[in-house]
Amino acid sequence: MRALPILAVAFATGVAAGDRFGAVAALAALPALATARRLRPLVVSTALAFAAGALRLALALSGEAPALPAERTTIVGRVEGLPVPEARRMTLRVRAWQPVRALVRLRVEGGGRALLPGDVVSTEARLHRPRGYKNPGAFDVERALRGRGVEAVGAVMPPRGVRLVARGEPSLLARVAAWRASLGRHLDESLSGDRRALVGAMVLGERGLVTPPVEEAFRRAGITHLLSVSGLHLAALALLTYVALRRLLARVPRLALSVSVRALAATATIPAGAAYSLLAGADHPVVRSTIVAAALLGAVIAARPPDGASALALAALAILALDPVALFDPSLQLSFAACVGLMLAPRISGKGPARGLARMALMTGAASLATAPLVAIHFGVLPVTGGVANLVCVPWTTAVLLPASLAGTLLLPFWPGAAAPLLAVAGAASDVLVQAARLFSDAPAAVIAVGRPTAIEAVLAWIAAALLLRGRLRLAAIAAAALALVVGAGAAARAWRSGATVTFVDVGQGDAILVELPRGRTLLVDGGGSFDGGPEVGEAALLPLLRARRVARIDVMALSHPHPDHFGGLIAAARRFPVGELWTSGEPSDHPGYRALLGALEAQGVQPRPPRRWAIGDALVEPLHPSPSWAPALSTNDNSLVLRVSVGARSVLLTGDLEAEGEILLAAERPRADVLKVPHHGSRTSSTDELLVAVRPRLAVASLGADNRFGFPHAEVIDRYARGGVPLLRTDQHGAVIVRLGRNAASVETVAQGGVARW
C-alpha cells in the first residue's frame, strides 16, 4: 500500500503527458521496461503506471466522430446518467440512435420535466461537435466532453421541449434519479430563493440553482467549495454517522461484548456514505471522499492503522482510470490539493477548546496554502479573506447547515411535521452563510488579482508551502524568496516590453480584441456576448485569457457599438478588473446588458467618453471613425468605433461591425493597415472592394462562431478576400489569432493550429 501514492502520481503524470504528446508519451517508459531485470520492482511499476496513464487518455480521446446533419433534426435516444437541473435549463446526456448513433449532450432551455436514466426521449435540435473557446488559458471543453464519450452537443430552445417516448427499465440509477427529483419537488414547495438554492446544493448537488450574485460572493470570499456537495460534506457526514453509530451500539452491552463496535459502526457507515454520494450526483470530489472514507473505515474494520496517503492515492487511481480527463477538472484538482495540505499540516498537542480551535485554524491554513497556486491558475486571484472566511463558515456549514438540510430533506416526504423545523433551521443557517460570504467578499482587498502563474511560479509556491507546513522555515524562506524573484522578473519584463500584441479572442459569435501595449498598458476592444455564446461568454472565454496574460488592470475599455455580441463579455471584465476609461461610438442603447455594463463601470467612477489619440512607447492607438459630422445619419453598425493600432510601420485596423456605407466613408481616409479585422464577422453587407483597396491588408481576421445561425462568413466575402490574395484567418477554425507588432516586422500565430508566420 505504501507504493500507491507513487503509482498514483505516475499514472496522473502519464495522463498529463498523454494530453501533450498523445499515446507516444507511453514510449517514455520503454527504457525502464527494457532493463526491468536490473531495476527494482517499484521502478518498473512506476514506469508501467506512467505508460498506462498516457494510453488511458489516448483511448478515451480515440474514435472517429460521427457525421452530423447540417440542419435541425429530430433526435431520438435513451437518457444516460443523472439529469442536471439548473436555474433556467436542464442538461441531459442522451444515447441517440436517430439521426446518428452518438452520445449527445442536450441543454434544454426553460427547464424540463423530470426524466430518468433509461427513459426514451425525443426532441428537435441542431447538433454540432463539442467545441470550447480556443484561447490561451481557456478550459478545454472539447477534451473534457470527448474524453467522456460525448460526440455531439445541442440546445433545445422553447417552445420545443423534450418528449418522453417511453419509460426505461427500473435500475438503481433510475431509482436514485427519481428519488432526487422527488426530493427536489418537495424542497420547491418548502423553500424559495437563496434558501432553496443552498439547501439543494448541499444535499442534492444542484449547484446550478445558485444565483450569480451569490456565486460571486462565495468566490470572492474563498468559500466556493461550500456551494457544492464536496468531499468536506461527505467526510463530515461519514464522521458524524460513524461516531453516532459507535456510541449507539456501545450502549448495547451484549453486542459490545460479542463484536467490535468500531468495526460494526464502520461497516454500516460505508453504505451510508455511498448512498449520500449517489444522492448528491456523485461528482468527482464526492467520489474521492467516498473512496477515501471507505478505505479509512476499511482499516478500522481490519483493525489496522489508517493510511491517509494510500487512501487518497487509491481514490486518484480509481477516478482517473475511469475518467482520465478528470485530471484537468479544477474542482478535482482543488479537492486533492486540499487533502494533501491537510495531511502535511503539523499536529497540535494538548486538550480543550483552545486546541480544537487552533487545530481548525491550522488545517484551514494548510488547505488554503496547498490550493492557493491552483486558485491563481484557474481564477487569477488569491482570496485574502479566504482563510478567515473558511475558519468561520466551514464549522457553521458542517455543524448546522449541512445536518439540518440533509435531515430535513430526507424526512420531508415521509414526516413533513418533523422536517419543517429542520428546514427552517437550514433556511436560517443558509441566510447567515450568504450574509457571511457577502461580508467577507465586500471586505477591502478581499481578493488580490495575480494573473495566471507560470509553471515555475506554481512549483515554487507549492515547495514553499510544503516546507512551511513541515516546519522547515529556513528552506521555506529560500523558496519564497526564489518565488518573489521569479515573479518580480516577470513583472519587470511585462512593464518594459516594447511593441504591441493584438489578440483576436475566440468568443463564439461576437468580437473581442485584447491589445497589449508597452509599459504593461492594456486596451480591450469589445468582449463578445449573447447571440450564440450565451451570457457566460465573459467568464468562459474572456476572463481566462486576461488571467493567462497577467492583466491586472484594463487601462482602456472600448466598445465599438452597443450590440450584445460586443458588450456582453465586457460586463464580467468590468466587475473583475479596475478600468481606467470607457471609449464608445456615442450610440445610445436601452438594452439591459448595456445598462449593466455602464452600471458596473459607474461603480468604479468611469463614464463613457469619445476615443482619443493614445501614444505610449513605440505604439499608437488612433480613432478613425466615426466622425461627429456624419454619425447621426448612420446606422448603429455603420457608426461602429474604428481604431488603428500601430507600431512603427506595422498596424492593425479594428473595424467593429461596419457595413457598406460606413466602409465607404472610412475608405476615403485611406486607412492603410497590415491586418484587417473583417467587418461585421464576414457579412455580405461588409468587406466592400472600396475598403479592401484602401486598406490593402496583408492578412484578414474574422471573429465569428462555428456553425453560426447567420451563415457568416458569407461565400462572396470569402471569395473577395481570396481574389485580392489576402489570407483569411477565422476564430471559429483557428481559435484565437495573435498578432505581434514590432517597428519593422510583424508575426501571427493561431491557438488551434499553431505555427508562426512573419512579414
Side-chain angles (χ1 to χ4, degrees):
M1 294 291 286
R2 293 292 181 181
L4 274 179
I6 298 174
L7 297 179
V9 171
F11 191 90
T13 305
V15 172
D19 179 60
R20 176 76 173 170
F21 303 107
V24 71
L27 299 178
L30 285 180
L33 300 179
T35 56
R37 292 184 178 180
R38 302 181 218 167
L39 297 176
R40 294 184 178 182
L42 180 58
V43 176
V44 177
S45 300
T46 302
L48 284 172
F50 175 88
L55 293 174
R56 180 65 187 92
L57 182 69
L59 180 63
L61 298 177
S62 65
E64 291 187 12
L68 302 177
E71 304 297 330
R72 182 179 298 277
T73 185
T74 299
I75 302 163
V76 181
R78 193 179 301 276
V79 176
E80 275 197 6
L82 297 172
V84 180
E86 298 181 38
R88 291 177 296 275
R89 66 186 179 193
M90 176 178 63
T91 301
L92 296 174
R93 289 191 307 161
V94 175
R95 179 67 64 179
W97 55 73
Q98 177 185 324
V100 293
R101 291 189 173 276
L103 182 61
V104 178
R105 188 195 68 179
L106 294 175
R107 284 188 167 173
V108 186
E109 299 294 333
R113 63 185 300 166
L115 297 170
L116 306 178
D119 288 350
V120 178
V121 296
S122 173
T123 189
E124 290 184 21
R126 185 181 180 187
L127 298 179
H128 55 91
R129 305 201 186 290
R131 185 186 186 279
Y133 299 109
K134 298 184 182 300
N135 298 309
F139 180 71
D140 194 336
V141 174
E142 180 179 353
R143 176 185 59 194
L145 292 178
R146 281 185 58 216
R148 289 163 182 151
V150 176
E151 299 160 304
V153 297
V156 180
M157 307 298 293
R160 297 180 180 88
V162 179
R163 183 172 66 90
L164 177 65
V165 177
R167 281 290 182 194
E169 294 293 327
S171 65
L172 174 62
L173 199 59
R175 289 187 174 93
V176 170
W179 186 27
R180 295 179 79 228
S182 174
L183 291 175
R185 288 191 294 271
H186 281 92
L187 285 177
D188 289 339
E189 298 171 357
S190 304
L191 297 170
S192 61
D194 290 338
R195 291 185 168 193
R196 167 65 179 93
L198 261 69
V199 172
M202 295 284 169
V203 179
L204 303 178
E206 295 175 338
R207 172 74 175 268
L209 299 181
V210 178
T211 61
V214 172
E215 180 99 25
E216 175 69 6
F218 275 67
R219 184 196 65 80
R220 286 181 56 84
I223 55 173
T224 308
H225 59 95
L226 297 180
L227 286 177
S228 57
V229 179
S230 64
L232 172 68
H233 297 158
L234 191 137
L237 175 67
L239 179 62
L240 290 172
T241 303
Y242 170 70
V243 171
L245 286 174
R246 190 184 67 187
R247 291 182 177 178
L248 181 64
L249 294 173
R251 293 180 177 273
V252 183
R254 186 174 299 177
L255 185 65
L257 292 173
S258 59
V259 298
S260 169
V261 171
R262 290 175 177 268
L264 195 58
T267 303
T269 301
I270 291 175
Y276 179 53
S277 178
L278 282 173
L279 177 65
D283 286 339
H284 288 131
V286 180
V287 172
R288 186 269 305 160
S289 191
T290 303
I291 296 174
V292 170
L296 296 178
L297 291 168
V300 173
I301 295 171
R304 301 185 62 178
D307 184 353
S310 294
L312 191 63
L314 178 64
L317 284 170
I319 291 172
L320 294 180
L322 292 174
D323 184 11
V325 296
L327 178 68
F328 312 105
D329 185 346
S331 64
L332 187 72
Q333 294 175 8
L334 290 166
S335 175
F336 275 92
C339 287
V340 172
L342 293 176
M343 287 189 294
L344 291 175
R347 301 293 181 260
I348 295 180
S349 58
K351 296 182 180 180
R355 176 184 178 274
L357 184 61
R359 176 65 178 158
M360 185 175 297
L362 188 60
M363 292 176 67
T364 299
S368 298
L369 280 174
T371 57
L374 288 173
V375 172
I377 288 171
H378 295 298
F379 307 110
V381 298
L382 290 177
V384 177
T385 59
V388 179
N390 276 279
L391 191 60
V392 172
C393 297
V394 168
W396 178 257
T397 301
T398 54
V400 182
L401 178 55
L402 179 61
S405 298
L406 183 61
T409 302
L410 294 179
L411 283 173
L412 192 55
F414 313 105
W415 194 359
L422 289 170
L423 289 179
V425 171
S430 66
D431 290 342
V432 172
L433 184 61
V434 170
Q435 291 303 318
R438 288 173 174 158
L439 177 66
F440 285 112
S441 70
D442 292 339
V447 296
I448 299 176
V450 294
R452 183 173 185 166
T454 64
I456 294 176
E457 291 169 349
V459 169
L460 285 173
W462 273 312
I463 291 174
L467 290 171
L468 179 63
L469 291 174
R470 302 311 293 171
R472 307 290 183 86
L473 301 184
R474 183 174 299 176
L475 292 176
I478 294 173
L483 174 61
L485 183 63
V486 172
V487 171
R494 289 188 296 275
W496 290 100
R497 68 187 171 205
S498 61
T501 300
V502 181
T503 302
F504 297 88
V505 190
D506 177 13
V507 289
Q509 184 54 43
D511 266 12
I513 302 103
L514 173 65
V515 183
E516 297 167 90
L517 297 162
R519 302 176 190 170
R521 302 299 177 87
T522 55
L523 163 67
L524 179 61
V525 183
D526 294 337
S530 61
F531 281 156
D532 279 354
E536 70 278 3
V537 66
E539 294 282 350
L542 189 57
L543 295 189
L545 173 70
L546 297 175
R547 295 171 190 140
R549 294 297 176 77
R550 308 291 284 266
V551 172
R553 168 187 168 88
I554 300 170
D555 294 285
V556 175
M557 181 179 285
L559 177 62
S560 63
H561 62 295
H563 281 172
D565 58 331
H566 292 253
F567 66 65
L570 293 178
I571 301 171
R575 289 171 175 168
R576 299 288 179 86
F577 292 89
V579 178
E581 300 179 42
L582 172 65
W583 295 354
T584 72
S585 64
E587 280 283 311
S589 174
D590 290 328
H591 192 287
Y594 185 57
R595 293 200 301 269
L597 171 63
L598 295 182
L601 290 171
E602 284 173 4
Q604 299 191 39
V606 177
Q607 297 289 338
R609 55 159 294 171
R612 59 182 174 85
R613 183 183 171 91
W614 185 21
I616 180 165
D618 53 1
L620 174 65
V621 179
E622 303 171 89
L624 303 182
H625 182 86
S627 167
S629 62
W630 65 61
L634 298 176
S635 67
T636 299
N637 279 350
D638 278 320
N639 204 30
S640 290
L641 178 62
V642 176
L643 301 173
R644 180 166 59 189
V645 180
S646 306
V647 177
R650 303 302 179 197
S651 59
V652 176
L653 188 65
L654 309 177
T655 57
D657 275 2
L658 280 186
E659 296 182 283
E661 187 177 358
E663 287 185 3
I664 292 171
L665 290 170
L666 176 64
E669 305 296 326
R670 297 294 174 187
R672 176 75 181 90
D674 296 282
V675 180
L676 172 66
K677 202 288 292 187
V678 174
H680 202 193
H681 320 289
S683 166
R684 63 171 57 93
T685 63
S686 305
S687 296
T688 58
D689 290 329
E690 289 86 348
L691 180 68
L692 297 186
V693 168
V695 176
R696 291 185 292 148
R698 297 170 182 259
L699 175 72
V701 181
S703 182
L704 60 146
D707 302 320
N708 63 84
R709 59 190 175 94
F710 305 101
F712 298 153
H714 288 134
E716 55 265 46
V717 173
I718 297 175
D719 183 61
R720 202 172 299 151
Y721 284 100
R723 289 199 316 269
V726 181
L728 177 63
L729 298 180
R730 302 164 44 169
T731 57
D732 63 330
Q733 296 179 350
H734 301 92
V737 178
I738 304 166
V739 177
R740 292 183 172 87
L741 301 177
R743 278 196 166 275
N744 299 304
S747 66
V748 60
E749 64 180 292
T750 63
V751 168
Q753 298 185 359
V756 179
R758 294 180 172 84
W759 69 86

